[in-house]
Each structure stands twice: as structure tokens, then as C-alpha cells.
Coordinates of all heavy atoms in Angstrom, one line a residue:
M1 N 98.3 116.2 103.5 CA 97.0 115.5 103.5 C 96.6 115.2 102.0 O 96.1 114.1 101.8 CB 96.0 116.5 104.1 CG 94.7 115.8 104.4 SD 93.4 116.7 105.3 CE 94.1 118.2 105.8
T2 N 96.9 116.0 101.1 CA 96.6 115.8 99.7 C 97.3 114.5 99.2 O 96.7 113.7 98.6 CB 97.0 117.0 98.8 OG1 96.3 118.1 99.3 CG2 96.7 116.7 97.4
E3 N 98.6 114.5 99.4 CA 99.4 113.4 98.9 C 98.9 112.0 99.5 O 98.8 111.0 98.8 CB 100.9 113.5 99.3 CG 101.5 114.7 98.5 CD 101.4 116.0 99.2 OE1 100.8 116.1 100.3 OE2 102.0 117.0 98.7
I4 N 98.6 112.0 100.8 CA 98.2 110.8 101.5 C 96.8 110.3 101.0 O 96.6 109.2 100.7 CB 98.2 110.9 103.0 CG1 99.7 111.1 103.5 CG2 97.6 109.7 103.7 CD1 99.8 111.5 104.9
S5 N 95.9 111.3 100.9 CA 94.6 110.9 100.4 C 94.6 110.4 99.0 O 93.9 109.4 98.7 CB 93.6 112.1 100.6 OG 94.0 113.2 99.8
L6 N 95.3 111.0 98.1 CA 95.4 110.6 96.7 C 96.2 109.2 96.6 O 95.8 108.4 95.8 CB 96.1 111.6 95.8 CG 95.2 112.8 95.5 CD1 96.0 113.9 94.7 CD2 94.0 112.4 94.7
A7 N 97.2 109.1 97.4 CA 98.0 107.8 97.5 C 97.0 106.7 97.9 O 97.1 105.6 97.4 CB 99.2 107.9 98.4
W8 N 96.2 106.9 98.9 CA 95.2 105.9 99.3 C 94.2 105.6 98.2 O 94.0 104.5 97.9 CB 94.5 106.4 100.6 CG 93.3 105.5 100.9 CD1 93.4 104.4 101.7 CD2 92.0 105.7 100.6 NE1 92.2 103.8 101.7 CE2 91.3 104.6 101.1 CE3 91.3 106.6 99.8 CZ2 89.9 104.4 100.9 CZ3 89.9 106.4 99.6 CH2 89.2 105.3 100.1
L9 N 93.7 106.7 97.6 CA 92.8 106.5 96.5 C 93.4 105.7 95.3 O 92.7 104.9 94.7 CB 92.3 107.9 96.0 CG 91.1 107.8 95.0 CD1 89.9 107.1 95.5 CD2 90.8 109.2 94.6
L10 N 94.7 105.9 95.1 CA 95.3 105.1 94.0 C 95.4 103.6 94.4 O 95.7 102.8 93.5 CB 96.7 105.7 93.7 CG 96.7 107.0 92.9 CD1 98.0 107.6 93.0 CD2 96.2 106.7 91.5
T11 N 95.2 103.2 95.6 CA 95.2 101.8 96.0 C 93.8 101.2 95.7 O 93.7 100.0 95.7 CB 95.5 101.6 97.5 OG1 94.5 102.1 98.3 CG2 96.9 102.2 97.9
K12 N 92.9 102.1 95.4 CA 91.5 101.6 95.1 C 91.1 101.7 93.7 O 90.3 100.9 93.2 CB 90.5 102.5 96.0 CG 90.8 102.5 97.4 CD 90.7 101.2 98.0 CE 91.1 101.2 99.5 NZ 91.3 99.9 100.1
V13 N 91.6 102.7 93.0 CA 91.2 102.9 91.6 C 92.5 103.2 90.8 O 93.5 103.6 91.3 CB 90.2 104.1 91.4 CG1 88.9 103.9 92.1 CG2 90.9 105.4 91.8
T14 N 92.4 102.9 89.5 CA 93.5 103.1 88.6 C 93.8 104.6 88.3 O 95.0 105.0 88.3 CB 93.3 102.4 87.3 OG1 93.1 101.0 87.6 CG2 94.6 102.4 86.4
S15 N 92.8 105.3 88.0 CA 93.0 106.7 87.6 C 91.9 107.6 88.2 O 90.8 107.8 87.6 CB 93.0 106.9 86.1 OG 91.8 106.3 85.5
P16 N 92.2 108.2 89.4 CA 91.2 109.0 90.0 C 91.1 110.4 89.3 O 92.0 110.8 88.6 CB 91.8 109.3 91.4 CG 93.2 109.1 91.3 CD 93.4 108.0 90.2
V17 N 89.9 110.9 89.4 CA 89.7 112.3 88.7 C 90.1 113.3 89.8 O 89.6 113.3 90.9 CB 88.2 112.4 88.4 CG1 88.0 113.8 87.8 CG2 87.8 111.4 87.3
V18 N 91.1 114.1 89.4 CA 91.6 115.1 90.3 C 91.3 116.5 89.7 O 91.7 116.8 88.6 CB 93.1 115.0 90.5 CG1 93.7 116.0 91.4 CG2 93.4 113.6 91.0
G19 N 90.7 117.4 90.5 CA 90.4 118.7 90.0 C 91.5 119.6 90.5 O 91.9 119.6 91.7
A20 N 92.1 120.4 89.7 CA 93.2 121.2 90.1 C 93.0 122.7 89.6 O 92.8 122.9 88.4 CB 94.5 120.7 89.5
T21 N 92.9 123.6 90.5 CA 92.8 125.0 90.2 C 94.0 125.8 90.6 O 94.0 127.0 90.2 CB 91.5 125.6 90.9 OG1 91.6 125.4 92.3 CG2 90.2 124.9 90.4
K22 N 94.9 125.2 91.3 CA 96.1 125.9 91.7 C 97.3 125.0 91.5 O 97.2 123.8 91.5 CB 96.0 126.3 93.2 CG 94.9 127.3 93.5 CD 94.8 127.7 94.9 CE 93.9 128.8 95.2 NZ 92.5 128.4 95.3
L23 N 98.5 125.6 91.4 CA 99.7 124.9 91.1 C 100.0 123.8 92.2 O 100.4 122.7 91.9 CB 100.9 125.8 91.0 CG 102.2 125.2 90.7 CD1 102.2 124.3 89.4 CD2 103.3 126.2 90.6
H24 N 99.7 124.2 93.5 CA 100.0 123.3 94.6 C 99.1 122.0 94.5 O 99.5 121.0 95.0 CB 100.0 123.9 95.9 CG 98.7 124.3 96.4 ND1 98.1 125.5 96.2 CD2 97.8 123.7 97.2 CE1 96.9 125.6 96.8 NE2 96.7 124.5 97.4
H25 N 97.9 122.1 93.9 CA 97.1 120.9 93.7 C 97.8 119.9 92.8 O 97.8 118.7 93.0 CB 95.7 121.3 93.1 CG 94.9 122.2 94.0 ND1 93.8 122.9 93.5 CD2 94.9 122.5 95.3 CE1 93.3 123.6 94.4 NE2 93.9 123.3 95.5
I26 N 98.3 120.4 91.7 CA 99.0 119.6 90.7 C 100.3 119.0 91.4 O 100.6 117.8 91.2 CB 99.4 120.4 89.4 CG1 98.1 120.8 88.8 CG2 100.2 119.6 88.5 CD1 98.3 121.9 87.7
E27 N 101.0 119.8 92.1 CA 102.2 119.3 92.8 C 101.9 118.2 93.8 O 102.6 117.2 93.9 CB 103.0 120.5 93.5 CG 103.5 121.5 92.5 CD 104.0 122.8 93.1 OE1 103.6 123.0 94.3 OE2 104.8 123.5 92.5
G28 N 100.8 118.4 94.5 CA 100.4 117.4 95.5 C 100.0 116.1 94.8 O 100.3 115.0 95.3
A29 N 99.3 116.2 93.7 CA 98.9 115.0 92.9 C 100.1 114.3 92.4 O 100.2 113.0 92.4 CB 97.9 115.4 91.8
A30 N 101.1 115.0 91.9 CA 102.3 114.4 91.4 C 103.1 113.7 92.5 O 103.6 112.6 92.3 CB 103.2 115.4 90.7
K31 N 103.1 114.3 93.7 CA 103.8 113.6 94.8 C 103.1 112.4 95.2 O 103.7 111.4 95.7 CB 103.9 114.6 96.0 CG 104.9 115.7 95.7 CD 104.9 116.7 96.9 CE 105.7 117.9 96.7 NZ 105.6 118.9 97.8
A32 N 101.8 112.3 95.1 CA 101.0 111.2 95.5 C 101.4 109.9 94.7 O 101.3 108.8 95.2 CB 99.5 111.5 95.4
V33 N 101.7 110.1 93.5 CA 102.0 109.0 92.6 C 103.3 108.3 93.1 O 103.4 107.1 92.9 CB 102.2 109.5 91.1 CG1 102.7 108.4 90.2 CG2 100.9 110.0 90.6
K34 N 104.2 109.1 93.7 CA 105.5 108.5 94.1 C 105.4 107.9 95.6 O 106.3 107.3 96.0 CB 106.5 109.6 94.1 CG 106.8 110.1 92.7 CD 107.9 111.2 92.8 CE 108.1 111.8 91.4 NZ 108.9 113.0 91.4
L35 N 104.2 108.1 96.2 CA 104.1 107.7 97.6 C 103.4 106.3 97.6 O 102.4 106.1 97.0 CB 103.2 108.7 98.4 CG 102.9 108.5 99.8 CD1 104.2 108.5 100.6 CD2 101.9 109.5 100.3
T36 N 104.0 105.4 98.3 CA 103.5 104.0 98.5 C 103.1 103.8 99.9 O 104.0 103.9 100.8 CB 104.5 103.0 98.0 OG1 104.9 103.2 96.7 CG2 103.9 101.6 98.1
L37 N 101.9 103.5 100.1 CA 101.4 103.3 101.5 C 101.5 101.8 101.8 O 101.2 100.9 101.0 CB 99.9 103.7 101.6 CG 99.6 105.1 101.4 CD1 98.1 105.4 101.4 CD2 100.3 106.0 102.4
S38 N 101.9 101.5 103.1 CA 102.1 100.1 103.5 C 100.7 99.6 103.9 O 99.7 100.4 104.0 CB 103.0 100.0 104.7 OG 102.3 100.6 105.9
V39 N 100.6 98.3 104.0 CA 99.3 97.7 104.4 C 98.8 98.2 105.7 O 97.7 98.5 105.9 CB 99.4 96.1 104.4 CG1 98.2 95.5 105.0 CG2 99.8 95.6 103.1
E40 N 99.8 98.4 106.6 CA 99.5 98.9 108.0 C 98.9 100.4 107.9 O 98.0 100.7 108.6 CB 100.7 98.9 108.9 CG 101.2 97.5 109.3 CD 102.0 96.8 108.2 OE1 102.5 97.5 107.2 OE2 102.2 95.6 108.3
E41 N 99.5 101.2 107.0 CA 99.0 102.6 106.9 C 97.6 102.6 106.3 O 96.8 103.4 106.7 CB 100.0 103.3 106.0 CG 101.3 103.6 106.7 CD 102.4 104.1 105.8 OE1 102.4 103.7 104.6 OE2 103.3 104.9 106.2
I42 N 97.4 101.8 105.3 CA 96.1 101.7 104.7 C 95.0 101.2 105.7 O 94.0 101.8 105.8 CB 96.0 100.8 103.5 CG1 96.9 101.4 102.3 CG2 94.6 100.5 103.0 CD1 97.2 100.4 101.2
F43 N 95.4 100.2 106.5 CA 94.5 99.7 107.6 C 94.2 100.9 108.6 O 93.1 101.0 109.0 CB 95.2 98.6 108.3 CG 94.3 98.0 109.3 CD1 93.2 97.2 109.0 CD2 94.6 98.2 110.7 CE1 92.4 96.6 110.0 CE2 93.8 97.7 111.7 CZ 92.7 96.9 111.3
Y44 N 95.2 101.6 108.9 CA 95.1 102.7 109.9 C 94.1 103.8 109.3 O 93.2 104.3 110.0 CB 96.4 103.4 110.2 CG 96.3 104.6 111.0 CD1 96.1 104.5 112.4 CD2 96.4 105.9 110.4 CE1 96.0 105.7 113.2 CE2 96.3 107.0 111.2 CZ 96.1 106.9 112.6 OH 95.9 108.1 113.3
L45 N 94.3 104.1 108.0 CA 93.5 105.2 107.4 C 92.0 104.7 107.3 O 91.1 105.5 107.4 CB 94.0 105.5 106.0 CG 95.3 106.3 106.0 CD1 95.9 106.3 104.5 CD2 95.2 107.6 106.6
E46 N 91.8 103.4 107.0 CA 90.4 102.9 106.9 C 89.8 102.5 108.2 O 88.6 102.2 108.2 CB 90.5 101.7 105.9 CG 90.9 102.1 104.5 CD 91.0 101.0 103.6 OE1 90.9 99.8 104.0 OE2 91.2 101.2 102.4
G47 N 90.6 102.4 109.2 CA 90.1 101.9 110.5 C 88.9 102.5 111.1 O 88.0 101.9 111.7
L48 N 88.8 103.8 111.0 CA 87.7 104.6 111.7 C 86.5 104.8 110.8 O 85.5 105.3 111.2 CB 88.2 105.9 112.2 CG 89.2 105.8 113.3 CD1 89.7 107.2 113.7 CD2 88.7 105.1 114.5
Y49 N 86.6 104.4 109.5 CA 85.5 104.6 108.6 C 84.3 103.7 108.9 O 84.5 102.5 109.1 CB 86.0 104.3 107.1 CG 84.8 104.4 106.1 CD1 84.3 105.6 105.8 CD2 84.3 103.3 105.6 CE1 83.3 105.8 104.9 CE2 83.2 103.4 104.7 CZ 82.7 104.6 104.3 OH 81.7 104.7 103.5
V50 N 83.2 104.3 109.0 CA 81.9 103.6 109.2 C 81.0 103.7 108.0 O 80.6 104.8 107.6 CB 81.2 104.1 110.5 CG1 79.9 103.4 110.7 CG2 82.1 104.1 111.7
P51 N 80.8 102.6 107.3 CA 80.0 102.7 106.1 C 78.6 103.2 106.4 O 78.1 102.9 107.5 CB 79.9 101.2 105.6 CG 81.0 100.5 106.2 CD 81.3 101.3 107.5
H52 N 78.0 103.9 105.5 CA 76.6 104.4 105.7 C 75.7 104.1 104.5 O 76.2 103.8 103.4 CB 76.7 105.9 106.0 CG 77.3 106.7 104.9 ND1 78.6 106.8 104.8 CD2 76.7 107.4 103.9 CE1 78.9 107.6 103.7 NE2 77.8 107.9 103.2
R53 N 74.5 104.2 104.7 CA 73.5 103.9 103.6 C 73.6 105.1 102.6 O 73.7 106.2 103.0 CB 72.1 103.9 104.3 CG 71.0 103.3 103.4 CD 69.8 103.1 104.3 NE 69.1 104.4 104.6 CZ 68.3 105.1 103.7 NH1 68.2 104.6 102.5 NH2 67.8 106.2 104.1
L54 N 73.5 104.7 101.3 CA 73.5 105.7 100.3 C 72.2 106.5 100.4 O 71.1 106.0 100.6 CB 73.7 105.1 98.9 CG 75.0 104.5 98.6 CD1 75.0 103.8 97.3 CD2 76.1 105.5 98.7
V55 N 72.3 107.8 100.1 CA 71.1 108.7 100.0 C 71.1 109.5 98.8 O 72.2 109.6 98.1 CB 70.9 109.6 101.3 CG1 70.8 108.7 102.5 CG2 72.2 110.5 101.4
G56 N 70.0 110.2 98.4 CA 70.0 111.1 97.3 C 70.0 110.4 96.0 O 69.5 109.3 95.8
V57 N 70.5 111.1 95.0 CA 70.4 110.6 93.6 C 71.1 109.2 93.4 O 70.5 108.4 92.7 CB 71.1 111.6 92.6 CG1 71.1 111.1 91.2 CG2 70.3 112.9 92.7
I58 N 72.2 109.0 94.0 CA 72.9 107.7 93.9 C 72.1 106.6 94.5 O 72.0 105.5 93.8 CB 74.3 107.8 94.6 CG1 75.2 108.8 93.8 CG2 74.9 106.4 94.6 CD1 76.6 108.8 94.1
A59 N 71.4 106.8 95.6 CA 70.6 105.8 96.2 C 69.4 105.5 95.3 O 68.8 104.4 95.3 CB 70.2 106.1 97.6
Q60 N 68.9 106.5 94.6 CA 67.7 106.4 93.8 C 68.0 105.8 92.4 O 67.1 105.4 91.7 CB 67.0 107.7 93.6 CG 66.5 108.3 94.9 CD 66.1 109.7 94.8 OE1 66.3 110.4 93.8 NE2 65.4 110.2 95.8
N61 N 69.2 105.6 92.0 CA 69.6 105.1 90.7 C 69.6 103.6 90.7 O 70.7 103.0 90.5 CB 71.0 105.7 90.3 CG 71.3 105.5 88.9 OD1 70.4 105.2 88.1 ND2 72.5 105.5 88.5
T62 N 68.5 103.0 90.9 CA 68.4 101.6 90.9 C 67.2 101.1 90.0 O 66.4 101.9 89.6 CB 68.1 101.0 92.3 OG1 66.8 101.5 92.7 CG2 69.1 101.5 93.3
Q63 N 67.2 99.8 89.6 CA 66.2 99.3 88.8 C 64.8 99.4 89.5 O 63.8 99.7 88.8 CB 66.5 97.8 88.5 CG 65.8 97.2 87.4 CD 66.3 97.7 86.0 OE1 67.4 98.1 85.9 NE2 65.5 97.5 85.0
N64 N 64.8 99.2 90.8 CA 63.5 99.2 91.5 C 62.9 100.6 91.6 O 61.7 100.7 91.6 CB 63.7 98.7 92.9 CG 64.0 97.2 92.9 OD1 63.7 96.5 92.0 ND2 64.7 96.7 93.9
S65 N 63.7 101.6 91.6 CA 63.2 103.0 91.8 C 63.1 103.7 90.5 O 62.7 104.9 90.5 CB 64.1 103.8 92.8 OG 65.3 104.0 92.2
A66 N 63.3 103.1 89.4 CA 63.3 103.8 88.1 C 61.9 104.4 87.7 O 61.9 105.5 87.1 CB 63.7 102.8 86.9
K67 N 60.9 103.9 88.2 CA 59.5 104.4 87.8 C 59.0 105.3 88.9 O 57.9 105.9 88.7 CB 58.6 103.2 87.6 CG 59.0 102.4 86.3 CD 57.9 101.5 85.9 CE 58.3 100.7 84.7 NZ 59.6 100.6 84.1
E68 N 59.7 105.5 90.0 CA 59.2 106.3 91.1 C 59.5 107.8 90.7 O 60.4 108.1 90.0 CB 59.9 106.0 92.4 CG 59.6 104.6 92.9 CD 60.4 104.3 94.2 OE1 61.0 105.2 94.8 OE2 60.4 103.1 94.5
S69 N 58.7 108.7 91.3 CA 59.0 110.1 91.1 C 60.1 110.6 92.0 O 60.1 110.2 93.2 CB 57.7 110.9 91.4 OG 57.9 112.3 91.3
H70 N 61.0 111.3 91.5 CA 62.2 111.8 92.2 C 62.3 113.3 92.0 O 61.7 113.9 91.1 CB 63.5 111.2 91.8 CG 63.5 109.7 91.9 ND1 63.5 109.1 93.1 CD2 63.5 108.8 90.9 CE1 63.6 107.8 92.9 NE2 63.5 107.5 91.6
V71 N 63.0 114.0 92.8 CA 63.2 115.4 92.7 C 63.8 115.8 91.4 O 63.5 116.8 90.8 CB 64.1 115.9 93.9 CG1 64.4 117.4 93.7 CG2 63.4 115.7 95.2
W72 N 64.8 114.9 90.9 CA 65.6 115.2 89.8 C 65.0 114.6 88.5 O 65.6 114.7 87.4 CB 67.0 114.7 90.0 CG 67.0 113.2 90.4 CD1 67.0 112.8 91.7 CD2 67.0 112.1 89.6 NE1 67.0 111.5 91.8 CE2 67.0 111.0 90.5 CE3 67.0 111.8 88.3 CZ2 67.1 109.6 90.1 CZ3 67.0 110.5 87.8 CH2 67.1 109.4 88.7
S73 N 63.8 114.0 88.5 CA 63.2 113.4 87.3 C 61.7 113.4 87.3 O 61.1 113.6 88.3 CB 63.7 112.0 87.1 OG 63.1 111.1 88.0
A74 N 61.2 113.1 86.2 CA 59.7 113.0 86.0 C 59.3 111.6 86.2 O 58.1 111.2 86.1 CB 59.3 113.5 84.7
G75 N 60.2 110.6 86.4 CA 59.9 109.2 86.6 C 59.8 108.4 85.4 O 59.3 107.3 85.4
Y76 N 60.3 109.0 84.2 CA 60.2 108.3 83.0 C 61.5 107.7 82.5 O 61.6 107.3 81.3 CB 59.5 109.2 81.9 CG 58.2 109.7 82.3 CD1 58.0 111.0 82.6 CD2 57.1 108.8 82.4 CE1 56.8 111.5 82.9 CE2 55.9 109.3 82.8 CZ 55.7 110.6 83.0 OH 54.5 111.1 83.4
Q77 N 62.5 107.8 83.3 CA 63.9 107.4 82.8 C 63.9 105.9 82.6 O 63.2 105.1 83.3 CB 65.0 107.9 83.7 CG 64.9 107.2 85.1 CD 64.0 107.9 86.1 OE1 63.2 108.7 85.7 NE2 64.2 107.6 87.3
K78 N 64.7 105.4 81.7 CA 64.9 104.0 81.4 C 66.3 103.6 81.9 O 67.3 104.3 81.7 CB 64.8 103.7 79.9 CG 63.4 103.9 79.4 CD 63.4 103.5 78.0 CE 61.9 103.8 77.5 NZ 61.8 103.5 76.0
I79 N 66.4 102.5 82.7 CA 67.6 102.1 83.2 C 68.0 100.8 82.5 O 67.2 99.9 82.4 CB 67.6 101.9 84.7 CG1 67.4 103.3 85.4 CG2 68.9 101.3 85.3 CD1 67.3 103.2 86.9

């Protein structure tokens, strides 16, 4: 699962951030670099994904909401 998920992520970004606290995490990341997914495999992995609306801090990090009060700020941040 680790190798496939990282191999898929490598089709989307150049250098994913990988947290490793155990040797097998590093080994899985190294194997993912050597794994090439076909277009059909990528389509299969993405097929059931249903996009959803952003929520929380990421959804609030917009120009329109910069002056609003949020849980994480006093509403004085500059964007």
C-alpha cells in the first residue's frame, strides 16, 4: 500500500514530503521511486474519489476571509 500510494503521489508532485519513523517506511518510499503506474492503474486508483469542499484552516485561507474572525486567528492577518 505504501509503495502504490507514494508512486501515485509521484505522478502528481515532484517531491512529496514523506515522514519516516521506522526502517520499513524508508524502504517503502525507496521502492515507490522504482514503481511506475500505468495510465489505467492511475485511472483505477482515482476512479472512486469524490472531491469535497475544503473546510477548516485551508478553506479559510482566502483573500475574502482574511478579515473575518477565525478560531486560529484574531482576524488581523495580511494575505
Side-chain angles (χ1 to χ4, degrees):
M1 192 173 356
T2 300
E3 292 89 354
I4 293 172
S5 61
L6 285 174
W8 171 83
L9 188 57
L10 285 167
T11 68
K12 307 298 175 191
V13 298
T14 304
S15 55
V17 176
V18 178
T21 57
K22 296 184 172 80
L23 180 59
H24 72 271
H25 294 163
I26 297 169
E27 293 169 343
K31 289 177 186 175
V33 174
K34 297 177 184 176
L35 182 62
T36 302
L37 299 174
S38 69
V39 173
E40 292 82 14
E41 290 168 328
I42 294 169
F43 182 76
Y44 174 79
L45 292 171
E46 295 176 351
L48 296 177
Y49 176 72
V50 178
H52 58 278
R53 196 172 70 79
L54 293 177
V55 297
V57 173
I58 293 189
Q60 295 170 348
N61 190 20
T62 65
Q63 197 75 19
N64 293 336
S65 67
K67 297 192 180 7
E68 296 176 13
S69 178
H70 301 291
V71 173
W72 49 271
S73 75
Y76 302 113
Q77 67 275 16
K78 293 182 182 180
I79 296 178

